[in-house]
């Protein structure tokens, strides 16, 4: 771990993390806890040194302490192979350790760097991305084939996220990701019975989540929900009338005899938060990183932001290619001008035209 930046070029992130995945598999086969400890320590070191605000990181596919450089403009970062390998590693660490922080890292990467590199128009994945500029559908061809490693690895990110959405082990159902859909898990009583989780939500654009159980018969098991660190207060309401409010991140559990049709409603309380790094400022809403986008037409991205109390409000996006949009009155420029409306969209929507029409930027220069 200490030697990851030993030379000037760093080390290839994709390959190194793949080796750690193998070491984690070796731990599961042998029970040698030294292997698990090594994988956990290296992953925690990667979060501290490499993972940026959007869940990406690395430069030219290499570890280079990119987290500390993220507010600077740079050209090539967050290679798709690195993103998917990191997501798969977080998925497996969550499954093995049961710690919520790995599911939260997976969530951050998925909703920002990963989805931002996916083009719904073409169904393809960008090889690289950055936190500012314009997205580029750069697809080098490998081995005389009409494909490359990033295109091949890209779909694995969806599998990692969906595979982590809800899991079952030893009488415990874990809801790790809050997505719309249906998941069927094995029943504690075995046989052909199932535990069906029917989820309805517009998360993360809307901070409400509702789960309805689809059971073949009444079952006793533990239903465990991840409580995100970005939620200041997370409220749970069961159809039985029970309520619970949680302010700490981690998991909250409900153990009982569940019946078909039982429901759990979850409400996350959060607001747009500011982050300051190396004389720059950026904003997040829940797991979403916010970015300025040229399609809003509201000014020069190099204009400095002055500190002050800021309130963000959700607004209607200017076109259907944007998933979510927000507006805030910010003090802009070096002079004491009155605040003016500045718009932001979610990072995955920023730059979606893949040309200068949607030039974007996450980290904005901060006036001293």
């Amino acid at each position: 771990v200490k030697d990851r930046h030993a030379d000037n070029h760093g080390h290839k992130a994709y390959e190194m993390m793949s080796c750690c995945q193998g070491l984690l598999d070796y731990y599961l086969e042998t029970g040698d806890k030294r292997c698990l400890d090594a994988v956990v320590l290296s992953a925690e070191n990667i979060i501290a040194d490499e993972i940026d605000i959007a869940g990406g990181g690395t430069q030219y596919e290499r570890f280079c302490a990119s987290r500390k450089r993220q507010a600077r403009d740079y050209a090539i970062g967050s290679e798709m192979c690195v993103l998917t390998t990191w997501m798969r590693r977080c998925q497996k660490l969550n499954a093995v350790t049961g710690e919520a922080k790995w599911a939260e890292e997976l969530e951050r990467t998925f909703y920002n760097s990963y989805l931002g590199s996916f083009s719904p128009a073409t169904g393809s994945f960008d090889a690289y991305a950055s936190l500012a500029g314009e997205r580029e559908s750069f697809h080098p061809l490998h081995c005389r084939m009409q494909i490359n490693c990033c295109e091949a690895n890209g779909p694995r990110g969806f599998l990692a996220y969906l595979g982590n959405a809800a899991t079952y082990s030893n009488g415990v159902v874990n809801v790790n990701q809050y997505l719309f859909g249906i998941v069927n898990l094995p029943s504690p009583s075995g046989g052909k019975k199932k535990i069906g989780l029917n989820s309805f939500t517009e998360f993360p654009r809307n901070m409400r989540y509702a789960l309805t159980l689809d059971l073949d018969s009444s079952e006793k098991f533990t239903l465990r929900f991840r409580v995100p660190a970005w939620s200041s207060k997370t409220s749970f309401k069961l159809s039985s009338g029970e309520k619970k409010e949680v302010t700490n991140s981690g998991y909250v559990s409900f153990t009982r005899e569940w019946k078909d049709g039982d429901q759990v409603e979850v409400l996350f309380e959060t607001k747009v938060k500011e982050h300051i790094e190396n004389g720059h400022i950026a904003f997040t809403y829940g797991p979403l990183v916010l970015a300025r986008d040229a399609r809003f037409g509201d000014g020069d991205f190099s204009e400095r932001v002055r500190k002050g109390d800021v309130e963000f409000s959700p607004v209607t996006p200017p076109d259907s290619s944007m998933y979510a949009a927000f507006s805030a009155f910010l003090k802009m420029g070096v002079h004491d001008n009155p605040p003016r409306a500045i718009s932001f969209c979610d990072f995955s929507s920023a730059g979606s035209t893949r040309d200068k029409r949607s030039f974007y930027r996450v980290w904005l220069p901060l006036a001293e």
Side-chain angles (χ1 to χ4, degrees), residues 271-276 281-284 307-310 312:
K271 61 180 182 179
V272 173
K273 299 177 182 178
E274 66 177 39
H275 308 261
I276 296 176
I281 190 167
F283 302 95
T284 58
K307 282 187 178 181
D309 294 333
V310 181
F312 280 75

Side-chain angles (χ1 to χ4, degrees), residues 235-292:
S235 303
F236 296 86
K237 180 181 178 182
L238 280 61
S239 53
S240 63
E242 180 181 351
K243 297 180 181 180
K244 181 178 286 189
E245 292 183 349
V246 184
T247 55
N248 296 324
S249 61
Y251 283 97
V252 62
S253 299
F254 301 93
T255 303
R256 65 192 62 237
E257 185 89 11
W258 298 95
K259 304 186 301 297
D260 181 49
D262 278 348
Q263 294 182 326
V264 180
E265 296 180 9
V266 186
L267 174 63
F268 306 101
E269 290 192 16
T270 190
K271 61 180 182 179
V272 173
K273 299 177 182 178
E274 66 177 39
H275 308 261
I276 296 176
E277 186 88 28
N278 293 330
H280 290 73
I281 190 167
F283 302 95
T284 58
Y285 175 71
L288 298 178
V289 173
L290 305 185
R292 294 189 67 181

